[in-house]
């Protein structure tokens, strides 16, 4: 018998899906480093706890958030903005960990965006029922840089619309370890997350965490 036949490694080549002009989904890109991402994230959250922010309209967001990097995205009664200080602690946001920067810039390169150096990372934590309604990301000063996002834990239905709110969103399942790169014309598409379904993930339990890496300044 030919033993070599059984030594062959399966082809784990990444599945890369083009979602729209400039937007790519790198299936499983961060799967092999999920434990390191999570332990690094726990250290960040210990310094800047997850919290439910308030929308300018006065509603409590169902997604719990925190940040690391030079600036962090915040929302309160006065509006949305980036700020160098965590309003909960009064301290600067924790530094962007090296492995976060490295993962995000490798993913951007894979999608065709060279030299992406994020300066902000928004941490979104979803529990069953939490959702993010359709919106555009407009608060970043550098509008030419892509956004890189990594999904961890429970899967979610990502709603990917177009440049106008009236374009009906397409639905994509985002799984643990998936990384998406959003640049070019699609950078300003409407998007959101459908209410998270209950479930149990071996690494994160009954939660989904999404990290978005941006060049905000
Ligand atoms: C498409 N977060 O924080 S990440 C957000 O899963 C946000 O928590 C979602 O939308 C989440 O603003 C989706 C994927 C994402 C991020 C930014 C985008 C998709 C995008 C910007 C333009 C188009
Ligand atoms: Fe967004």
């Amino acid at each position: 018998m030919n033993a070599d036949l059984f030594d062959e490694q399966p082809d784990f080549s990444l599945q890369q899906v083009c979602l729209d002009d400039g937007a790519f989904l790198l299936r499983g890109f961060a799967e092999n480093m999920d434990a390191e991402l999570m332990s690094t994230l726990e250290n960040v959250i210990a310094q800047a706890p997850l919290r439910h922010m308030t929308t300018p309209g006065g509603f409590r967001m169902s997604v719990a958030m925190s940040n690391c990097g030079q600036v962090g995205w915040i929302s309160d009664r006065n509006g949305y903005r980036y700020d160098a200080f965590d309003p909960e602690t009064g301290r600067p946001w924790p530094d962007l960990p090296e492995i976060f920067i490295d993962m995000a810039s490798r993913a951007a390169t894979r999608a065709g965006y060279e030299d992406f150096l994020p300066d902000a990372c928004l941490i979104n934590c979803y529990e069953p029922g939490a959702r993010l309604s359709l919106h555009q990301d407009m608060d970043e000063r550098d509008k030419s840089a892509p956004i890189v996002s990594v999904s961890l834990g429970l899967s979610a239905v990502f709603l990917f619309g177009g440049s106008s709110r009236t374009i009906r969103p397409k639905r994509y399942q985002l799984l643990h370890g998936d990384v998406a790169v959003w640049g070019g014309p699609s950078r300003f598409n409407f998007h959101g997350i459908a209410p998270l379904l209950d479930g149990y993930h071996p690494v994160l339990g009954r939660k989904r965490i999404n990290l978005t890496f941006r060049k905000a300044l």
Side-chain angles (χ1 to χ4, degrees), residues 37 67-72 82 94-109 113-122 140 142 144-150 179-182 187 211-217:
L37 289 174
N67 293 277
C68 53
Q70 279 174 258
V71 289
Y82 280 93
D95 286 337
L96 246 178
E98 205 61 52
I99 77 146
F100 283 14
I101 298 174
D102 181 66
M103 190 281 299
S105 97
R106 281 188 299 107
T109 299
Y113 301 97
E114 306 266 343
D115 308 313
F116 174 59
L117 190 64
D119 53 26
C121 170
L122 173 62
E140 296 73 26
D142 186 338
S144 67
I147 293 174
V148 173
S149 78
V150 54
V179 175
V181 182
W182 319 88
R187 167 71 178 72
L211 308 176
T212 54
F213 298 94
R214 302 145 188 276
K215 202 163 152 38
L217 296 174

Side-chain angles (χ1 to χ4, degrees), residues 122 124 126 132 135 137 147 149 158 160 182 186-189 191 193 208 210 212 214:
L122 173 62
N124 290 158
Y126 296 75
L132 201 59
H135 67 277
D137 290 16
I147 293 174
S149 78
F158 178 68
F160 194 36
W182 319 88
S186 72
R187 167 71 178 72
F188 297 104
N189 284 11
H191 60 278
I193 295 286
R208 168 177 190 261
N210 182 268
T212 54
R214 302 145 188 276

